[in-house]
Amino acid sequence: MCVFKIIKNMFFSRAKAIRFCFFAVFSLSFSLSLNAQQSKFDLLSDSTIKQFPEIEVEAKAEQKNPSLKYNSSTRIESDYYKLISPTQISDIISISPGVFIKNYGGLSAMKTISLRGGAAHHTLIQLDGISLNSSQNSTFDLSLLPTQMIDKISISKGGLSALHGAGAISGVVEINMKSYDEASYKIDSKYGSFNDLSASATASFPYKNTKFSATVEYQGTDGNYPINLSQFGEKREVKRENADFKNISSLINWRALFNKSNITGFILLRSSERGSPGAVVQGAIENSIARLKEKDFLSSLKYSYFFNEKNNVSFSIFGKLSSFNYLDLDKFTEKPALTDFSAKDFKIKLNYNLIKGSSNFHIGTDFSFSDLTGNMLQKTVGNYVERKTFGLYSNYDTQIHSSDFLSSSAFAGFRFEAVELFSPSFSPLLGTMLSFKKIPLQLKFSISNNYRTPNFNEMYYLNYGPSDLKAEKSFSLNLGASSQVFGFEIGFDLFNIATKNLIVTTAKSPIAWEAANISKAASKGIELALSNDCLLGFINFKLAYTLQKTTDESDYSLLKGKQIVYTPQELLNANIIFNVKEFYLGILASYTSFMYSIADNSNESIIPSNFVASVFLSKEIRISSLKMGLRLEASNLFNGQYELIKNYPMPMRAFKIGASFEV
């Protein structure tokens, strides 16, 4: 850890050092590559280049981010996603090291992601490159995203503001939607305990040079799972109440292919309503009044033009409309009170990409506008706030050496961003990778500066948000190695994330809270990933382990050195899937170490560790052109009662049965 401290102190005390390194590497690598001879190495695969000008292939390759090879990342491919068949995406992404899902209990509960000990607003969730994070609170509820439209998921960890802008302090989750080449029709459904129901219908059809697909998906539950509790010394079993959930979504996406260009786009509509039962405490098992309704409309359109096989330009436009309605009793009057918000987000983006020999140069600019209208904003701003953002970014990836023994490459990128009411931010990222050809070993290293601007809630929410908050700043370091041994793919990473101007919630009175820049935090850890897709010829095995220490490092604070709340020190996830004559038996196991729910790390705030195992059995049957899938699931197999959020009990053992039909 001494190396981490040295680097941290160096760059936090001398901010100019990282800027100097960035410009030095950027200039050197750019000069070397432009004067080098044409190399056989290319950032895009040979098959991609050879098949040009098939725009369909180029469009997929264009989405690949070469910087990912310098950071720790996990990619969940479509075949594996289909095999796991998650009801919600939170069910599958925890197979990546460094991922912790904050789950408030059951299908209906809110679920947010923590990467490497960071808060939910330190991770960007993107759908085909479009950010899903709310401008109101900078987070995204994973329970709301329809799952049947998803094809692949990439989890990239570490600071990535140079590539993705504000908020990418801990990492980015990139979700790619399915793309269909032929006409197909599919119906999928699951039904289980507590009246959990998931159902979807998908149709895809080509028309000339355009391919369309449409998906409608429904999720619902009564949420009345049993919980064991002790109320004033009396132990009894009760059912969770006011935990029902209904979420319906519809998606239309399209892809039009032309001689040297393509157009892609989608429209996503979503509406949900759920009960909000709250915490289970002495004298209060649930809040029977609180209800939450949310609606979203998202639309994206992207045009890409390919001048030739190695250089292209793209223009994209994105819009999102959201509404949030929360009904609960006023804590002073005990009468029903409605919190009502609506938000608009708009973004345009222009990119240019050039491949020259073994190098890839990328430059772009974007402009975004966000606003929030609601009845719970500070009186000083009335019921409306808005924000404009301008960004300029560039990155350069090149091979700098290649021999029979070793190849090396380097990456340099930056983003300049000007956010209304805040000082401009400069976020550089540097990376390098060594690949040994005689032995299966890769070494990678990356450093970056990152940031997050305060969201609307933190600045303007009534009696909570002070408008003079500063942007969070962080320094991120990653050192990793990967190899293949006896058919196993092994990944090992060391990381350090140091954040200053951290925005936290502080008490200003016994009944009032506010956001404030008073903290520093440090997250350090080790990640291990181990996988084998064909162990003994019939076993798919994946394991992810994380050992981390996330602490409050605020100066002159009684909490200095204390573990940040809801950040477990250890995470272990293992998936084992057996394929026996096309029957798939899966065992999914997870372990989460103890956590604290209060910043002072008192004994009464300890959330005990937990181990949860689930199983599934699936079979696909083909009859001519019909594909039929059958599935059985059992979650929390050992019927343990546990919590991931204090006083929010998770469901005990539950069962599901599912079927799908596709032609």
Side-chain angles (χ1 to χ4, degrees), residues 587-590 611-615 634-639 642 653:
I587 302 173
L588 317 178
S590 67
F611 173 81
V612 180
S614 302
V615 298
S635 57
N636 196 354
L637 192 62
F638 301 118
N639 206 33
Y642 66 103
R653 186 187 296 122

Side-chain angles (χ1 to χ4, degrees), residues 192-449:
S193 306
F194 327 122
N195 273 335
D196 285 7
L197 174 64
S198 301
S200 67
T202 301
S204 63
F205 44 92
Y207 178 74
K208 295 184 178 180
N209 63 334
T210 304
K211 300 174 183 180
F212 297 92
S213 67
T215 301
V216 177
E217 184 170 340
Y218 170 84
Q219 284 190 346
T221 181
D222 290 345
N224 55 346
Y225 54 88
I227 54 176
N228 296 316
L229 51 82
S230 176
Q231 290 281 304
F232 304 105
E234 179 186 355
K235 294 183 178 180
R236 57 194 176 108
E237 182 182 277
V238 300
K239 289 187 176 181
R240 195 74 157 133
E241 300 294 337
N242 194 33
D244 59 294
F245 176 58
K246 294 179 181 179
N247 183 34
I248 185 167
S249 57
S250 58
L251 169 75
I252 299 175
N253 63 4
W254 60 89
R255 183 168 43 125
L257 309 178
F258 304 100
N259 184 32
K260 286 192 174 183
S261 62
N262 64 46
I263 299 176
T264 59
F266 70 86
I267 295 175
L268 175 63
L269 297 169
R270 190 198 60 79
S271 177
S272 67
E273 180 178 356
R274 69 177 83 185
S276 183
V280 177
V281 295
Q282 289 290 329
I285 298 175
E286 76 276 325
N287 183 334
S288 60
I289 301 295
R291 306 289 298 177
L292 174 62
K293 295 181 181 180
E294 296 175 273
K295 295 181 180 180
D296 292 307
F297 169 84
L298 293 83
S299 182
S300 173
L301 186 66
K302 180 178 180 181
Y303 174 79
S304 300
Y305 182 83
F306 298 84
F307 298 101
N308 53 49
E309 62 183 16
K310 295 184 179 179
N311 103 60
N312 62 76
V313 64
S314 65
F315 174 79
S316 58
I317 183 169
F318 164 75
K320 179 170 68 172
L321 303 176
S322 305
S323 68
F324 174 97
N325 306 100
Y326 181 69
L327 178 67
D328 197 5
L329 294 177
D330 185 277
K331 61 183 177 181
F332 297 109
T333 66
E334 294 297 320
K335 295 181 179 180
L338 179 67
T339 300
D340 188 15
F341 283 104
S342 62
K344 296 191 295 288
D345 295 277
F346 170 80
K347 188 172 187 176
I348 57 175
K349 193 173 183 179
L350 180 65
N351 293 291
Y352 174 74
N353 191 67
L354 171 65
I355 299 173
K356 185 174 179 63
S358 59
S359 304
N360 190 341
F361 175 71
H362 185 79
I363 189 169
T365 184
D366 57 42
F367 171 81
S368 61
F369 170 85
S370 300
D371 72 8
L372 180 67
T373 303
N375 64 347
M376 290 294 288
L377 297 175
Q378 298 282 17
K379 294 181 179 179
T380 54
V381 297
N383 64 354
Y384 179 82
V385 290
E386 66 178 37
R387 175 179 294 172
K388 303 179 187 69
T389 303
F390 170 77
L392 176 66
Y393 51 91
S394 182
N395 55 71
Y396 188 68
D397 187 11
T398 186
Q399 184 183 35
I400 56 179
H401 173 75
S402 181
S403 66
D404 293 338
F405 174 73
L406 176 73
S407 67
S408 60
S409 57
F411 178 89
F414 76 90
R415 180 180 175 89
F416 171 83
E417 185 161 294
V419 182
E420 190 173 4
L421 301 180
F422 292 91
S423 300
S425 296
F426 178 77
S427 300
L429 186 153
L430 300 173
T432 187
M433 184 176 71
L434 301 177
S435 297
F436 296 88
K437 297 183 178 180
K438 301 294 184 181
I439 55 175
L441 177 64
Q442 286 186 334
L443 302 177
K444 56 188 176 181
F445 172 78
S446 65
I447 56 174
S448 62
N449 273 352

Side-chain angles (χ1 to χ4, degrees), residues 20-313:
F20 173 81
C21 292
F22 160 74
F23 285 116
V25 173
F26 191 98
S27 302
L28 178 60
S29 59
F30 191 84
S31 300
L32 288 173
S33 64
L34 291 184
N35 288 285
Q37 293 182 349
Q38 183 82 4
S39 172
K40 295 181 181 179
F41 173 88
D42 205 301
L43 296 173
L44 298 178
S45 66
D46 288 341
S47 60
T48 300
I49 298 303
K50 290 176 183 177
Q51 294 183 33
F52 188 87
E54 289 291 333
I55 302 300
E56 177 183 350
V57 177
E58 285 294 331
K60 293 179 181 178
E62 178 192 29
Q63 297 174 2
K64 296 180 181 178
N65 193 331
S67 67
L68 297 183
K69 65 187 180 184
Y70 302 99
N71 293 277
S72 175
S73 61
T74 301
R75 187 168 176 86
I76 300 170
E77 299 292 347
S78 55
D79 289 344
Y80 193 76
Y81 183 89
K82 182 180 178 180
L83 198 58
I84 297 296
S85 184
T87 302
Q88 297 176 333
I89 66 167
S90 53
D91 299 335
I92 192 171
I93 58 177
S94 56
I95 196 57
S96 169
V99 173
F100 173 60
I101 303 297
K102 296 180 179 179
N103 189 335
Y104 286 76
L107 185 68
S108 65
M110 180 175 71
K111 300 169 184 67
T112 60
I113 187 172
S114 168
L115 283 181
R116 292 185 166 179
H121 50 241
H122 291 150
T123 298
L124 291 184
I125 310 295
Q126 296 191 335
L127 179 64
D128 278 353
I130 303 301
S131 176
L132 298 178
N133 294 59
S134 165
S135 57
Q136 181 179 354
N137 57 28
S138 299
T139 66
F140 178 71
D141 184 355
L142 299 175
S143 69
L144 300 179
L145 188 67
T147 58
Q148 290 301 314
M149 68 178 188
I150 297 174
D151 184 35
K152 302 174 183 178
I153 302 175
S154 297
I155 302 104
S156 303
K157 291 154 289 181
L160 294 168
S161 290
L163 303 174
H164 301 282
I169 286 178
S170 296
V172 176
V173 178
E174 176 67 36
I175 301 163
N176 298 124
M177 289 188 289
K178 291 179 180 177
S179 177
Y180 298 89
D181 295 325
E182 300 177 350
S184 65
Y185 307 91
K186 182 179 181 181
I187 297 175
D188 192 288
S189 64
K190 289 182 185 178
Y191 180 78
S193 306
F194 327 122
N195 273 335
D196 285 7
L197 174 64
S198 301
S200 67
T202 301
S204 63
F205 44 92
Y207 178 74
K208 295 184 178 180
N209 63 334
T210 304
K211 300 174 183 180
F212 297 92
S213 67
T215 301
V216 177
E217 184 170 340
Y218 170 84
Q219 284 190 346
T221 181
D222 290 345
N224 55 346
Y225 54 88
I227 54 176
N228 296 316
L229 51 82
S230 176
Q231 290 281 304
F232 304 105
E234 179 186 355
K235 294 183 178 180
R236 57 194 176 108
E237 182 182 277
V238 300
K239 289 187 176 181
R240 195 74 157 133
E241 300 294 337
N242 194 33
D244 59 294
F245 176 58
K246 294 179 181 179
N247 183 34
I248 185 167
S249 57
S250 58
L251 169 75
I252 299 175
N253 63 4
W254 60 89
R255 183 168 43 125
L257 309 178
F258 304 100
N259 184 32
K260 286 192 174 183
S261 62
N262 64 46
I263 299 176
T264 59
F266 70 86
I267 295 175
L268 175 63
L269 297 169
R270 190 198 60 79
S271 177
S272 67
E273 180 178 356
R274 69 177 83 185
S276 183
V280 177
V281 295
Q282 289 290 329
I285 298 175
E286 76 276 325
N287 183 334
S288 60
I289 301 295
R291 306 289 298 177
L292 174 62
K293 295 181 181 180
E294 296 175 273
K295 295 181 180 180
D296 292 307
F297 169 84
L298 293 83
S299 182
S300 173
L301 186 66
K302 180 178 180 181
Y303 174 79
S304 300
Y305 182 83
F306 298 84
F307 298 101
N308 53 49
E309 62 183 16
K310 295 184 179 179
N311 103 60
N312 62 76
V313 64

